[in-house]
Amino acid sequence: MKKTILVTGGAGFIGSHVVRRFVTNYPDYLIVNLDNLTYAGNLNNLKDVEAAPNYKFVKEDICDFKSMESLFGKYSFDGVIHLAAESHVDRSIKNPLAFIETNILGTVSLLSAAKSSWKDFDGKRFYHISTDEVYGSLGEEGFFTETTSYDPQSPYSASKASSDHFVRAYSNTYGIPVVLSNCSNNYGPFQFPEKLIPLMINNIRNNKPLPVYGKGENVRDWLYVEDHARAIDLIYHQGKVDETYNIGGFNEWKNIDIVNLLCDLLDKKLNRPPGTSSKLITYVTDRAGHDHRYAIDASKIKNELGWEPSLQFEEGLNKTIDWYLENEQWLQEVTSGDYQSYYQEHYKTEA
Ligand code: NAD
Ligand code: TYD
């Protein structure tokens, strides 16, 4: 094998698209997917590549430094693409300590394993996948750029900001070659239905209330997950050491407009009379400390690496809806068990 790459969190939403892309496009790389399979990790996300000769799955916790060190010893990784994290803002409000543990301690544990195992940093690369939420919340105008000051507002974004700082500190202090990217909201197949778009698709399908926080006027910048995976591939191979790249969809939407659009698209696909699903919209108590707006200026990655989003939003949403409608069993599996209790506790109603 030409290269051995560790992908962490590869059984999650974005990680599974990254693993699939690398296993398929680089048959001469060995891709080691490390994931401890939390509620958000699911090996069924990778059924189509699990038998590939250049793919290996390892069930470990990134916080376990000794195991990370022995894994680095065993595989002599050329690079790391680090996605493993607790990723949902609402859960971080309920249980911030889990986010500190995985996102901060876990990242430092991985960095330390790389530091102690990589005797020679030549050709090595530690790539940290982060979020635009580290920059805080925007008003009606302006965009986040790579030089925007960090101003995280939720326990989730504070934990990701901290992990970004540790990645840069390990580069500055120990010379580990790092690269970072901060991406806007992703959507697409295999996203756990606690996040806005898959949650709304699942509830519309089941004729359940559609819980919109506050007035539904918060704005997010949406990107199709395969476009993110393509950006990660480019940055892993061509991004400059110590640089940060912002990735976004140039695609801002108010939450309520997305929910209405999903209702219209699903009414058509499910042969329901127009206006049926939007009657399910229910305004609920706002999220504590709800960031008003995120918007990325993705000019740097466009100008330096030639990356741009490839899919229009409606096209991406149609593909996403079709995937969820065709993968009812996947949805049923991930919404059984703990999901019901999470949902009831959070929304005070059944999923
Ligand atoms: P996800 O919650 O779907 O997946 C996270 C994965 O990490 C799961 O498979 C889980 O089992 C694994 N994991 C969690 N704790 C672990 C641990 N201690 N050890 C090993 N594995 C562990 O998350 P996602 O939405 O795919 O996000 C992936 C990464 O991208 C995260 O770092 C997130 O902060 C970042 N990100 C996400 C978005 C988004 O819109 N989803 C946007 C920008 C950045
Ligand atoms: P989410 O998908 O959780 O992503 P993030 O908070 O990381 O941006 O939420 C996207 C937006 O949708 C955010 O403004 C909160 C809102 N939202 C709702 O209105 N209702 C919901 O049930 C959820 C999960 C989110």
Side-chain angles (χ1 to χ4, degrees):
M1 292 286 176
K2 213 160 104 191
K3 275 195 169 102
T4 303
I5 299 177
L6 173 66
V7 178
T8 71
F13 166 49
I14 302 171
S16 62
H17 289 273
V18 171
V19 166
R20 180 174 299 101
R21 182 177 178 96
F22 274 72
V23 168
T24 311
N25 290 4
Y26 303 104
D28 52 349
Y29 290 5
L30 175 64
I31 304 302
V32 179
N33 171 16
L34 171 101
D35 199 299
N36 72 341
L37 303 180
T38 68
Y39 77 93
N42 184 353
L43 288 177
N44 288 337
N45 296 0
L46 287 164
K47 277 252 167 279
D48 51 337
V49 294
E50 68 184 8
N54 63 333
Y55 171 71
K56 177 118 193 81
F57 173 69
V58 180
K59 185 172 185 295
E60 296 275 11
D61 185 337
I62 54 167
C63 300
D64 180 349
F65 171 66
K66 285 276 162 240
S67 299
M68 293 308 100
E69 214 177 23
S70 63
L71 202 70
F72 270 75
K74 179 171 174 191
Y75 285 102
S76 306
F77 297 118
D78 297 286
V80 178
I81 305 179
H82 174 37
L83 299 107
E86 287 293 336
S87 68
H88 190 39
V89 173
D90 292 327
R91 288 185 193 249
S92 82
I93 294 168
K94 184 88 188 144
N95 183 13
L97 283 179
F99 286 68
I100 291 165
E101 175 136 354
T102 298
N103 299 359
I104 307 178
L105 291 179
T107 300
V108 176
S109 155
L110 267 183
L111 285 163
S112 301
K115 169 172 127 2
S116 65
S117 315
W118 285 347
K119 301 292 170 244
D120 168 4
F121 292 147
D122 202 26
K124 302 283 197 276
R125 169 157 292 218
F126 190 106
Y127 179 7
H128 186 225
I129 308 301
S130 193
T131 166
D132 60 353
E133 301 186 28
V134 299
Y135 299 120
S137 178
L138 290 165
E140 300 310 319
E141 305 271 299
F143 296 91
F144 299 133
T145 72
E146 288 79 0
T147 56
T148 302
S149 299
Y150 274 34
D151 187 20
Q153 301 290 319
S154 73
Y156 165 66
S157 55
S159 70
K160 291 296 289 188
S162 174
S163 60
D164 286 3
H165 289 321
F166 271 106
V167 171
R168 295 192 179 100
Y170 268 63
S171 164
N172 180 61
T173 311
Y174 308 111
I176 294 193
V178 305
V179 65
L180 296 91
S181 57
N182 296 75
C183 188
S184 64
N185 288 59
N186 285 215
Y187 70 99
F190 299 110
Q191 187 167 32
F192 193 77
E194 63 185 352
K195 305 277 168 57
L196 180 75
I197 289 179
L199 184 143
M200 294 298 168
I201 295 173
N202 188 39
N203 286 14
I204 294 170
R205 207 181 121 254
N206 291 318
N207 270 305
K208 301 275 183 190
L210 309 177
V212 173
Y213 297 161
K215 294 184 176 150
E217 298 207 326
N218 303 67
V219 175
R220 299 292 183 263
D221 167 5
W222 293 93
L223 180 68
Y224 191 68
V225 62
E226 285 178 7
D227 276 334
H228 188 190
R230 183 167 49 85
I232 290 173
D233 184 346
L234 256 183
I235 292 168
Y236 181 80
H237 288 102
Q238 292 174 36
K240 290 202 199 91
V241 168
D242 281 343
E243 291 283 321
T244 294
Y245 298 87
N246 280 356
I247 307 168
F250 293 106
N251 180 40
E252 290 181 52
W253 284 77
K254 279 187 185 165
N255 294 335
I256 187 62
D257 294 338
I258 294 197
V259 176
N260 273 313
L261 178 57
L262 288 170
C263 288
D264 292 347
L265 293 171
L266 271 147
D267 278 348
K268 285 192 198 118
K269 287 182 198 285
L270 297 172
N271 295 317
R272 294 178 181 169
T276 307
S277 301
S278 61
K279 294 199 183 83
L280 299 167
I281 292 173
T282 311
Y283 291 93
V284 299
T285 309
D286 207 353
R287 173 185 280 172
H290 197 170
D291 285 343
H292 174 63
R293 173 173 167 257
Y294 306 140
I296 283 275
D297 175 351
S299 324
K300 176 175 171 180
I301 185 171
K302 181 177 177 192
N303 297 336
E304 294 188 10
L305 302 180
W307 178 90
E308 278 186 284
S310 70
L311 242 69
Q312 293 299 312
F313 193 45
E314 262 207 45
E315 198 184 343
L317 273 188
N318 270 309
K319 278 173 78 132
T320 304
I321 293 170
D322 290 345
W323 186 86
Y324 281 95
L325 293 179
E326 283 157 18
N327 287 275
E328 204 169 313
Q329 204 191 333
W330 183 92
L331 261 176
Q332 253 156 26
E333 274 164 21
V334 303
T335 56
S336 60
D338 288 356
Y339 183 81
Q340 292 299 328
S341 51
Y342 162 77
Y343 201 95
Q344 272 166 29
E345 156 89 19
H346 185 63
Y347 296 99
K348 312 284 181 232
T349 178
E350 274 172 46

